[in-house]
Amino acid sequence: MLSTLVWTLTVLCSFCLADRDVGHRHMFPLSPVIERGSTLQIFCGLGKKISPYKNASHIIWTLDGNGIAKENYIIVNDSVSGVVIHNFTYGEAHVKCYVDFPVERQLLDLTDVKSGFPPQRPENISCINYEGKNITCSWTLERDTYIETDYTIIGKIGPADKKAFLSHTWRSKNGLRSQNFQTEIFYPAFCIQLKLENPLGKAESQCVPQKSAEILKLEPTPVKVETVPGMKRMLRVSWERNMKTSRCRIRYRNMKQNDSKEAYSFQEISSQNYSDLTNLQGFTKYAVAIQCILEGSRFWSEWSAEQTGTTEEEAPSKEVDLWRVLEECQSTGSRFVHLFWKQHKENESLGIMKGYRIKCFTQSNHSLAYAKNTTDKSVTIQLRGQAYVVSVIAHNAAGDSPEACLRIPSCAEQSKDHRRIVMLNASALNEHMIVEWKTSDSNIQSYVVEWYDESEMNAYERSWQYVRNTTKWTFEKEDFKPYRCYNISVYPVYKDAIKAPSSIRTYFKQGRPSYGPVAEVENIDKNEATIKWKEIEKAKANGDIINYTIFYRAEDWKELGKTVNASLLQYRLKSLQANVKYTAHVMASTIAGGTNGSAVTFSTSRLSLLEIVLTNVFAGFFILCILAFVLLWALKRHMLKRIFCPKIPHPKLPEIAQDNLEKPLKEPQSEENTVIPEVISVLKLDDNDECQLLKLEDCLGQTKVNTEDTVGQHEASDSGEHGAIRLLLQTVPSQGQHFRSQLLLAPVIQRMPLQKSEESLSEDYQNSNCNDEEKENQTNTEEKIEFNPYLKNSVPTREFLECENLSVSKQKERKKETVPPPACVSSGNGQQYVELDAVVLTEH
């Protein structure tokens, strides 16, 4: 309580003095240092410039930018305000005081507050003198001060001596535990004292006695390692001694082993400056280091830098480990044999192999069949079908290894051999691959276990190991890789002959496939679709595929799945909805899990394949029917018209074929004794008849009469005088049918010039009418005419034609024709005409 009053009075006095000054410092105390966990009290004054306008209640406090609660404020007077913070645990904080103004608060002053602990008494002081050049002293402290503290080491001859021969001071805020400084000590005995001081207190240790001989520590000694010629499995280590009264010890290890304490071996030397390391491994590299200590000292020197040395080479002590892979015998009787060998661990440590000598002898007469020197550890040779013996010798600079021999069976023996391993099983357990087997022959005591990665590019690369007197073998983890498929085979060895093996495929560790199957959709139907996918590569399967799962779903529908056996690579989805879009993917699974493949989308069709086929069949049949009808119509349209669309004649007017109306008259060729008519005269119709014919002009083309043969016949026969008759015959229907309507000639009156004069034409025509044969033909014609009263009555007008006199030759031709020419009748004025309703023509 008294200390608080003293502190408050001091602050008030300070501010009373500060009021006389118009400076900018308003905070007291400045940069205080307090013990961590204690109470912080700090004050701030307004000063003469601000006090007329503001008072202490307008002062605001912050700690590291955060406002301090007003209940911690202390109002000392009108111009001084203070703040109290209990249990202050900040290592270092910034305290600011402001005055509150309407627009913006104004900073009055700021200060840094630090907290820590007073120093404690150091304990366990010890020093090391590094060959008299520098000293390192260390000590222990119960806790750190967390604030800047001054450390001072004092060296005196004795504890009671007030004069110090050594004094070294430094400052640090961290809790130091040791300090190195350069000095030379010439006293055999002395004492060391440590003093600590900071704003919160002081502490010092006792003066601890030290002996120069005991604290002296030697520097690391360089070492040299070399071999001694002719001395096997030995290395010589030498070094330079700094002091004769020191002793040393050697540390060495095999470089093939790891850097651990268990791998080191030690050897002490007292008076010599060299040492021989014996009973080492041949041709092995060793790392050697050394450390020394002075007699009477408590400290060994640090280990020197390691130096390496290698023992001398030795000849291989064991033969190579030899193995072979046989290919199938060819039809020519030859085959390829792949030989592999590896060194035993003992041979690898004895020297560097310079090469290998391979020889192959026939088993029957021991003749040399193959020989080769190589530095490789494999070779492929081509041998015949008989049995052989192969030998391999390894050699290095020191000598040769024993000979390794292996028998190659003949092709006949290889084909007749049977398996003697009746059961083979492989499983991974506790990071090991365990292979077990059973044999049918109890006399077999030796086996060869062979394994290889099926994903390796070299199909004949093998790993193998000989196993004796056991049917269970355990592989180390390092021999196998996870997610790889291995083929493991066991070969029984019977009477130095390797027999037929038994094999098994297995994984050391299985995982999920690296990628999922790539699916595609085929044969999409209305309610079905086929999902196909490709098998995953063995190198990417990471295990044995046990099944495939097909997942599919429609939009906004629940996903469905079907699981199939690993042997299937397609599946037919059924019970799908028609015309719906689906999304599907395939998941491949191993015992470790499954991996989904990429999704594929497809849409089912509206119709099934059967419905599409039937629709196409009916449509095709309908099109064929239409084509057949069109073809039949093109070929038999006249017949079809008469059958399906018979024409009813007009009650008054006959029909005239439009073809005949539109067909122009051909210019007849002149012949000998043939009269070519110049003019064809046709009587005009009445005005009423002409109008009726014009109205029927559109109906003339409905029936096309095939008159090509008839026209041709009449062109041949009616050249000359009977041009009008020829024009009439062009409109005659085919044979066997009567006229359904009377034929009318076009109402055209035109006279054509003839070669003969009208007088000669009239005479010839009269002679022809008077001829008896002409009358006979007319009589025959009249007998064949069938009158149609209906048609006869329907013709109101007759057409008059000029009857031309036919030549003698043409009259003979007309006599041969079946149909005689129409009869000519004289009119009242002496002009002749033909009765159209009395003409009936028949087809020739």
Side-chain angles (χ1 to χ4, degrees):
M1 188 66 180
L2 181 61
S3 61
T4 305
L5 291 176
V6 173
W7 177 269
T8 305
L9 292 174
T10 304
V11 171
L12 290 176
C13 293
S14 300
F15 275 100
C16 290
L17 295 175
D19 288 340
R20 301 176 184 177
D21 189 7
V22 293
H24 297 285
R25 292 197 173 187
H26 305 281
M27 189 173 288
F28 181 85
L30 293 176
S31 301
V33 178
I34 64 174
E35 188 173 353
R36 185 167 298 181
S38 63
T39 300
L40 171 65
Q41 288 185 351
I42 193 167
F43 300 91
C44 181
L46 294 176
K48 291 183 179 181
K49 292 183 178 181
I50 302 176
S51 58
Y53 308 100
K54 296 291 182 179
N55 54 36
S57 62
H58 295 96
I59 295 176
I60 301 173
W61 294 88
T62 63
L63 178 65
D64 284 344
N66 299 319
I68 301 175
K70 290 187 177 181
E71 53 265 22
N72 295 330
Y73 291 1
I74 300 175
I75 304 299
V76 179
N77 54 32
D78 292 340
S79 62
V80 178
S81 174
V83 65
V84 177
I85 301 176
H86 301 283
N87 191 21
F88 188 87
T89 57
Y90 289 84
E92 184 174 356
H94 303 284
V95 179
K96 297 179 181 180
C97 62
Y98 298 86
V99 61
D100 190 13
F101 279 97
V103 179
E104 183 180 4
R105 62 184 184 180
Q106 181 179 349
L107 178 64
L108 295 177
D109 202 355
L110 60 88
T111 187
D112 294 333
V113 180
K114 299 179 181 179
S115 68
F117 297 100
Q120 293 180 335
R121 183 177 180 178
E123 302 289 344
N124 302 323
I125 298 176
S126 64
C127 297
I128 300 176
N129 186 3
Y130 291 95
E131 295 188 354
K133 297 178 181 179
N134 55 63
I135 295 178
T136 298
C137 294
S138 60
W139 57 91
T140 60
L141 294 173
E142 290 185 4
R143 66 181 180 186
D144 295 334
T145 60
Y146 299 107
I147 57 176
E148 290 186 351
T149 304
D150 294 334
Y151 295 81
T152 302
I153 288 182
I154 299 174
K156 298 184 292 185
I157 298 175
D161 194 355
K162 295 182 179 180
K163 185 178 180 181
F165 66 88
L166 172 64
S167 180
H168 180 70
T169 303
W170 70 96
R171 176 175 292 183
S172 174
K173 66 183 298 183
N174 298 322
L176 292 179
R177 301 295 192 273
S178 65
Q179 181 65 23
N180 181 271
F181 50 91
Q182 295 182 354
T183 186
E184 292 184 1
I185 298 178
F186 303 99
Y187 302 99
F190 59 93
C191 67
I192 296 295
Q193 186 181 17
L194 179 61
K195 293 182 179 182
L196 285 73
E197 183 179 358
N198 63 18
L200 299 179
K202 297 180 180 180
E204 63 179 24
S205 68
Q206 295 180 354
C207 193
V208 180
Q210 304 287 334
K211 292 183 179 181
S212 299
E214 292 180 356
I215 64 174
L216 185 61
K217 184 177 182 179
L218 299 177
E219 293 290 336
T221 303
V223 67
K224 184 178 179 181
V225 182
E226 57 187 358
T227 59
V228 179
M231 302 300 294
K232 304 295 183 181
R233 302 190 178 189
M234 188 186 76
L235 290 175
R236 175 162 291 180
V237 182
S238 59
W239 64 93
E240 294 182 359
R241 296 174 65 91
N242 294 334
M243 297 182 182
K244 295 183 179 180
T245 57
S246 64
R247 68 179 189 274
C248 302
R249 58 183 177 184
I250 299 173
R251 182 187 69 182
Y252 61 95
R253 65 180 178 91
N254 190 337
M255 292 292 292
K256 297 178 182 179
Q257 299 175 354
N258 55 5
D259 187 5
S260 62
K261 294 182 178 180
E262 293 77 10
Y264 286 102
S265 299
F266 297 90
Q267 182 176 345
E268 286 197 13
I269 302 97
S270 58
S271 58
Q272 298 176 348
N273 61 349
Y274 72 92
S275 177
D276 293 332
L277 304 179
T278 58
N279 297 324
L280 305 178
Q281 296 181 7
F283 196 68
T284 303
K285 192 174 184 180
Y286 287 87
V288 182
I290 190 173
Q291 68 175 180
C292 300
I293 188 173
L294 189 64
E295 292 293 339
S297 177
R298 296 181 289 137
F299 303 104
W300 284 87
S301 68
E302 300 295 331
W303 288 103
S304 64
E306 286 188 338
Q307 299 294 325
T308 59
T310 304
T311 56
E312 287 189 353
E313 289 188 73
E314 296 181 23
S317 60
K318 290 188 176 182
E319 70 277 5
V320 298
D321 195 351
L322 184 60
W323 183 238
R324 88 292 185 275
V325 175
L326 307 179
E327 292 190 21
E328 295 292 335
C329 296
Q330 302 177 3
S331 59
T332 57
S334 62
R335 56 181 169 168
F336 287 95
V337 178
H338 304 272
L339 297 177
F340 308 95
W341 57 87
K342 57 186 178 181
Q343 290 288 342
H344 287 282
K345 294 182 179 180
E346 293 84 352
N347 290 348
E348 292 178 354
S349 63
L350 295 179
I352 300 176
M353 296 299 168
K354 300 296 184 181
Y356 304 91
R357 292 190 289 268
I358 302 98
K359 294 182 180 180
C360 182
F361 301 90
T362 59
Q363 187 178 10
S364 58
N365 53 12
H366 298 283
S367 62
L368 182 64
Y370 179 84
K372 183 180 181 180
N373 292 335
T374 182
T375 57
D376 298 330
K377 293 184 178 181
S378 63
V379 69
T380 300
I381 59 178
Q382 186 176 10
L383 301 176
R384 296 187 176 275
Q386 56 185 325
Y388 292 87
V389 176
V390 179
S391 66
V392 178
I393 297 176
H395 61 90
N396 60 10
D400 296 342
S401 70
E403 185 180 34
C405 297
L406 186 65
R407 180 179 179 274
I408 307 299
S410 63
C411 290
E413 181 182 354
Q414 185 178 356
S415 61
K416 294 179 181 180
D417 196 8
H418 64 279
R419 295 183 178 179
R420 291 171 171 80
I421 304 296
V422 296
M423 188 277 293
L424 179 62
N425 185 28
S427 60
L429 183 64
N430 297 330
E431 301 295 330
H432 291 82
M433 178 69 74
I434 300 175
V435 180
E436 296 180 292
W437 62 90
K438 291 183 180 180
T439 180
S440 59
D441 192 348
S442 59
N443 295 325
I444 299 176
Q445 300 296 327
S446 180
Y447 304 90
V448 179
V449 181
E450 175 196 76
W451 70 95
Y452 64 92
D453 186 356
E454 291 187 350
S455 61
E456 290 292 338
M457 299 299 295
N458 188 0
Y460 299 103
E461 188 69 27
R462 297 291 191 270
S463 299
W464 71 96
Q465 184 171 341
Y466 284 86
V467 180
R468 291 176 176 83
N469 300 324
T470 184
T471 58
K472 182 178 180 180
W473 182 71
T474 302
F475 289 88
E476 296 295 333
K477 177 182 177 181
E478 292 76 13
D479 296 330
F480 294 91
K481 297 179 181 179
Y483 315 134
R484 297 292 185 90
C485 182
Y486 288 90
N487 186 297
I488 301 176
S489 302
V490 177
Y491 293 80
V493 180
Y494 181 71
K495 295 181 179 179
D496 297 333
I498 300 175
K499 300 300 180 181
S502 294
S503 302
I504 189 174
R505 293 176 63 257
T506 186
Y507 284 83
F508 177 70
K509 183 180 180 181
Q510 297 194 42
R512 298 170 58 186
S514 299
Y515 62 89
V518 179
E520 59 183 10
V521 185
E522 296 181 355
N523 302 328
I524 301 175
D525 207 346
K526 179 180 179 181
N527 303 111
E528 297 180 356
T530 300
I531 305 294
K532 285 188 175 182
W533 60 91
K534 294 182 180 180
E535 187 178 4
I536 301 176
E537 300 178 5
K538 290 183 179 180
K540 302 296 182 180
N542 299 336
D544 289 323
I545 303 297
I546 56 177
N547 58 52
Y548 294 98
T549 304
I550 302 95
F551 295 97
Y552 62 99
R553 60 175 300 176
E555 294 181 351
D556 301 331
W557 284 23
K558 182 180 179 181
E559 187 175 57
L560 302 176
K562 298 290 184 180
T563 302
V564 298
N565 192 277
S567 60
L568 298 179
L569 295 177
Q570 66 178 12
Y571 183 76
R572 185 72 174 172
L573 298 178
K574 298 181 180 180
S575 302
L576 302 179
Q577 298 295 323
N579 194 26
V580 175
K581 184 177 180 180
Y582 283 87
T583 301
H585 67 273
V586 181
M587 181 181 70
S589 300
T590 64
I591 60 174
T595 302
N596 292 322
S598 58
V600 61
T601 58
F602 65 95
S603 298
T604 54
S605 57
R606 293 179 180 272
L607 301 175
S608 64
L609 181 61
L610 179 60
E611 293 173 348
I612 295 174
V613 170
L614 292 178
T615 302
N616 292 335
V617 168
F618 287 132
F621 180 75
F622 179 72
I623 294 173
L624 288 177
C625 291
I626 294 177
L627 293 176
F629 180 77
V630 171
L631 183 61
L632 184 62
W633 175 263
L635 298 177
K636 300 295 183 179
R637 61 182 178 276
H638 307 297
M639 182 186 301
L640 294 175
K641 276 187 177 182
R642 286 193 297 270
I643 294 174
F644 297 102
C645 300
K647 285 191 175 182
I648 300 175
H650 195 273
K652 293 184 69 179
L653 298 178
E655 292 183 353
I656 298 178
Q658 188 175 355
D659 293 343
N660 295 330
L661 292 175
E662 295 178 355
K663 185 176 181 181
L665 293 176
K666 293 184 178 180
E667 183 71 19
Q669 297 180 359
S670 63
E671 299 177 1
E672 278 187 326
N673 302 324
T674 301
V675 178
I676 300 175
E678 294 180 355
V679 177
I680 297 176
S681 298
V682 180
L683 291 179
K684 289 184 178 180
L685 297 175
D686 294 339
D687 294 336
N688 296 330
D689 297 335
E690 185 175 358
C691 295
Q692 292 177 358
L693 288 174
L694 291 174
K695 293 178 180 179
L696 293 174
E697 192 171 2
D698 294 336
C699 300
L700 294 178
Q702 293 181 357
T703 306
K704 294 183 180 180
V705 183
N706 189 8
T707 59
E708 294 178 1
D709 296 337
T710 307
V711 172
Q713 292 174 0
H714 286 281
E715 284 180 353
S717 61
D718 295 344
S719 63
E721 300 88 352
H722 294 81
I725 302 294
R726 183 174 64 243
L727 181 62
L728 178 64
L729 292 177
Q730 289 178 355
T731 62
V732 177
S734 59
Q735 182 180 2
Q737 297 182 6
H738 300 290
F739 281 104
R740 291 190 178 185
S741 61
Q742 293 182 345
L743 302 176
L744 297 179
L745 296 177
V748 179
I749 301 175
Q750 182 180 1
R751 292 184 177 274
M752 301 177 62
L754 301 175
Q755 293 181 358
K756 292 184 178 184
S757 63
E758 292 181 357
E759 291 82 4
S760 61
L761 180 61
S762 176
E763 292 177 0
D764 292 340
Y765 187 73
Q766 290 177 359
N767 292 334
S768 63
N769 288 335
C770 296
N771 195 310
D772 294 335
E773 294 178 358
E774 182 76 12
K775 292 180 180 180
E776 184 178 357
N777 291 333
Q778 290 177 358
T779 305
N780 295 333
T781 304
E782 291 175 356
E783 292 176 357
K784 295 181 180 180
I785 294 175
E786 296 178 2
F787 293 94
N788 190 339
Y790 178 81
L791 295 176
K792 183 176 181 181
N793 296 331
S794 64
V795 179
T797 308
R798 298 177 183 271
E799 296 183 358
F800 294 90
L801 303 174
E802 291 184 358
C803 296
E804 298 175 354
N805 188 18
L806 301 176
S807 63
V808 178
S809 61
K810 288 298 179 179
Q811 290 177 0
K812 291 181 181 181
E813 290 178 1
R814 284 200 306 270
K815 289 180 182 179
K816 296 179 183 180
E817 294 178 358
T818 305
V819 181
C824 296
V825 182
S826 300
S827 61
N829 57 3
Q831 193 175 8
Q832 296 180 350
Y833 62 91
V834 179
E835 294 181 356
L836 297 179
D837 56 352
V839 178
V840 176
L841 299 180
T842 59
E843 186 178 357
H844 294 277

